[in-house]
Amino acid sequence: MTTQELYTLAEQFGTPLYLFDARELRMRVDTLKRALGPRAQLCFAVKANPFIIPTVAPLVERLEVCSPGEYRICEACDMDASQLVISGVHKDADLIRELAAAPQLPGRFTIESLTQLELLNAVGAELDRRLPVLIRVSSGNQFGIDVEAVESVIARRRHYRYLDMCGLQLFSGTQKTSARRVVCELERLDALAQHLAHEHGWLARELEYGPGLPVAYFADDAFDEADLLSALRDTLDHLQHEGPVVLELGRSIAASCGTYLTRVVDTKCNRGEHYAIVDGGIHHLVYFGQSMAMHQPPCHLLPAALAHGNTGVIAQAPASAANKHWNICGSLCSVNDILVKQLPASHLSPGDLLAFERAGAYCMTEGISLFLSRDLPCVVTIDEQGNAELSRASMPTYPFNTPRVTG
């Protein structure tokens, strides 16, 4: 987005402000699909950014939902149930019954435990309806079930007559920069599917894998995404599994489409250190690992003095001898509320804007948004024609923190 577009949107909607650009989102999905090839289908993890659901849904094959609230968001956005994967380590029994009884079943339910296996089979029996499921294979944490348990379930699959066991799912984490690790995980999932076919006569019709593709959030992040994607495509092309492979992605799809705008409201110098206080903070903006102040995030200064007539593309303020170094701190009364340390800028004044890029994933949902009862920012989506659409108005949070007082 151009500097002038950002100024205009900040004036129109105020700050702090989340901006999600549908044009960038489409380009990112297109880039991933070209790089990964025809074997790959994409599943978007809704938890990464629920506000882009209407925009991203036509671009991907599936949407992963991990909570009743995320399902209600998809329902409110009129998403086709057949596109949804109902996931999550804790599945609400009432919601499972509601979904299983609906005219259109969800595309898939994941099985994260033997308890969930029994629940889904029991609900199917109550309704006399087979439910499509993916068995999640544990990668050594609280998610999914061990390989031995997977094999036992497959061996006894006729006992679970109300479950249509469609395939296997594996997700082991995020921000994986090692192509070797991604390749090994996918190959192990493929080998497990082949073993189950040979030993138990069960054919996994599909595999779903979360490669945890990384995003370069900070200036010192170093990895070769093209190499990662190439290695993943080559592995996909040589799998023994012949059915579809669904790649579940969140931040890799969404991060680049988001910009967070916050405005300087005060400046000071304490013990030789320059500080700028902004109207946002870490309750709105969370990058991977919550290590905002430990690295240099993609942050650009838009001086208020240039608010009119500048149509250039935003650029990092150059370091020079005239530059000071500023600590950018948010509006929370917490010493942890630091967005950037030692940002080079010759001058910062109240009214100046700071634009944080790659804010399209998790920033608006992972932050400690109720802390100090400050308002939630506006969310604005820029459609493919460049028009700004308000997705959520600024909302006060104090009602959530107000005790009920009775006389």
Side-chain angles (χ1 to χ4, degrees):
M1 298 180 68
T2 67
T3 301
Q4 190 57 51
E5 286 176 316
L6 294 176
Y7 282 131
T8 300
L9 291 166
E11 290 300 314
Q12 182 177 355
F13 296 101
T15 58
L17 175 64
Y18 297 117
L19 299 171
F20 302 128
D21 192 335
R23 300 165 296 186
E24 170 58 34
L25 182 62
R26 176 179 287 279
M27 286 191 293
R28 178 58 181 168
V29 172
D30 288 346
T31 295
L32 289 170
K33 288 189 171 183
R34 283 195 305 270
L36 295 169
R39 282 293 311 267
Q41 297 182 7
L42 298 185
C43 174
F44 176 66
V46 165
K47 61 180 175 287
N49 188 340
F51 290 101
I52 63 172
I53 289 173
T55 307
V56 77
L59 307 178
V60 299
E61 282 73 27
R62 291 182 180 170
L63 301 171
E64 184 204 40
V65 170
C66 290
S67 72
E70 288 186 349
Y71 171 73
R72 297 303 177 200
I73 295 170
C74 289
E75 186 180 42
C77 293
D78 201 27
M79 292 296 102
D80 187 336
S82 66
Q83 194 177 8
L84 304 183
V85 178
I86 308 300
S87 189
V89 290
H90 169 52
K91 288 183 170 64
D92 180 89
D94 290 338
L95 180 62
I96 294 300
R97 289 188 177 89
E98 176 187 337
L99 297 177
Q104 176 67 62
L105 281 172
R108 299 289 183 267
F109 296 89
T110 65
I111 290 174
E112 295 263 3
S113 68
L114 298 180
T115 302
Q116 289 189 5
L117 178 80
E118 298 294 346
L119 168 64
L120 287 160
N121 190 62
V123 169
E126 290 173 16
L127 300 169
D128 192 25
R129 194 173 196 185
R130 291 190 84 204
L131 307 182
V133 300
L134 295 171
I135 303 173
R136 182 166 185 175
V137 184
S138 177
S139 60
N141 49 34
Q142 73 268 39
F143 302 105
I145 58 179
D146 284 340
V147 168
E148 295 78 9
V150 172
E151 186 158 6
S152 176
V153 167
I154 293 301
R156 300 179 64 243
R157 64 189 179 279
R158 289 178 179 81
H159 177 73
Y160 304 105
R161 55 191 297 256
Y162 291 99
L163 299 182
D164 178 12
M165 298 183 184
C166 303
L168 303 172
Q169 183 196 57
L170 174 67
F171 181 81
S172 66
T174 190
Q175 289 292 95
K176 289 184 239 174
T177 59
S178 168
R180 179 177 175 80
R181 180 181 174 188
V182 169
V183 168
C184 287
E185 287 180 345
L186 185 51
E187 287 179 341
R188 284 200 298 269
L189 184 62
D190 184 43
L192 175 59
Q194 299 312 306
H195 171 77
L196 295 173
H198 294 151
E199 294 296 320
H200 302 284
W202 176 74
L203 182 65
R205 302 198 302 274
E206 64 189 61
L207 302 178
E208 182 172 303
Y209 172 57
L213 296 178
V215 170
Y217 282 122
F218 305 110
D220 54 357
D221 285 342
F223 60 87
D224 188 337
E225 184 181 66
D227 181 62
L228 266 170
L229 295 177
S230 176
L232 184 51
R233 176 172 181 160
D234 185 63
T235 307
L236 288 168
D237 289 342
H238 292 90
L239 293 180
Q240 296 181 74
H241 171 74
E242 295 180 353
V245 181
V246 181
L247 300 179
E248 185 260 305
L249 301 169
R251 71 177 75 246
S252 183
I253 288 176
S256 64
C257 80
T259 302
Y260 174 75
L261 291 181
T262 184
R263 193 182 300 274
V264 176
V265 294
D266 200 358
T267 60
K268 63 182 76 174
C269 182
N270 290 342
R271 296 187 178 183
E273 289 281 327
H274 296 281
Y275 293 90
I277 309 300
V278 297
D279 57 7
I282 61 170
H283 51 320
H284 299 157
L285 185 65
V286 180
Y287 284 106
F288 174 74
Q290 300 184 354
S291 53
M292 287 292 298
M294 297 172 63
H295 303 279
Q296 188 72 248
C299 173
H300 303 281
L301 171 63
L302 288 69
L306 302 179
H308 302 288
N310 187 339
T311 58
V313 177
I314 48 179
Q316 176 69 48
S320 70
N323 279 342
K324 300 174 184 176
H325 288 83
W326 295 80
N327 299 308
I328 310 301
C329 302
S331 296
L332 302 180
C333 292
S334 168
V335 294
N336 297 319
D337 193 7
I338 304 173
L339 297 181
V340 188
K341 282 186 176 179
Q342 302 298 299
L343 179 73
S346 60
H347 188 70
L348 284 180
S349 300
D352 291 347
L353 288 173
L354 291 169
F356 289 83
E357 295 182 348
R358 281 164 252 165
Y362 294 106
C363 294
M364 75 305 303
T365 53
E366 277 193 348
I368 47 175
S369 56
L370 297 185
F371 188 45
L372 263 71
S373 302
R374 291 197 172 273
D375 291 355
L376 295 176
C378 284
V379 176
V380 172
T381 300
I382 312 302
D383 67 19
E384 298 212 36
Q385 288 70 49
N387 302 311
E389 299 177 352
L390 182 65
S391 294
R392 183 189 72 193
S394 178
M395 294 177 60
T397 65
Y398 70 84
F400 298 108
N401 293 335
T402 301
R404 182 177 179 182
V405 180
T406 56

